[in-house]
Amino acid sequence: MAIRTGSDIVPIAIEEFGKEYRINIGQNISTCKWSLEQKQELTNYLRDAMATLKWEIYETRPVAKRATISANAGEDY
């Protein structure tokens, strides 16, 4: 839809840490240079941008030691 309308896409990542939320907003992605034939490439580019934004959020958190992670952490998430 963004390609057909020539709209920019704004990648956003949100992560919750208990009652705290972190939001990271990326650079606008202009769709003017993308064609409908390239929509999968644009989708992959957007996914990479969003994954990078998520990783940047995680990098702001303190490093956890394995001993401090509960045995049911996998079930909690």
Side-chain angles (χ1 to χ4, degrees):
M1 184 180 289
I3 293 173
R4 289 181 189 210
T5 60
S7 301
D8 284 359
I9 300 172
V10 182
I12 299 174
I14 302 171
E15 190 61 39
E16 175 187 6
F17 299 101
K19 294 183 179 181
E20 176 187 344
Y21 289 86
R22 295 283 175 115
I23 299 171
N24 196 3
I25 302 172
Q27 296 290 323
N28 289 14
I29 299 171
S30 174
T31 59
C32 294
K33 59 184 175 186
W34 301 88
S35 68
L36 283 175
E37 292 77 29
Q38 297 173 304
K39 66 183 177 184
Q40 189 58 51
E41 292 173 49
L42 175 57
T43 299
N44 293 341
Y45 182 79
L46 177 59
R47 286 180 179 166
D48 287 346
M50 291 170 54
T52 299
L53 293 173
K54 276 280 201 185
W55 188 255
E56 288 172 355
I57 291 173
Y58 295 140
E59 286 181 326
T60 66
R61 303 300 297 170
V63 177
K65 294 187 178 189
R66 187 178 296 256
T68 64
I69 300 174
S70 73
N72 338 349
E75 294 171 15
D76 294 340
Y77 295 100

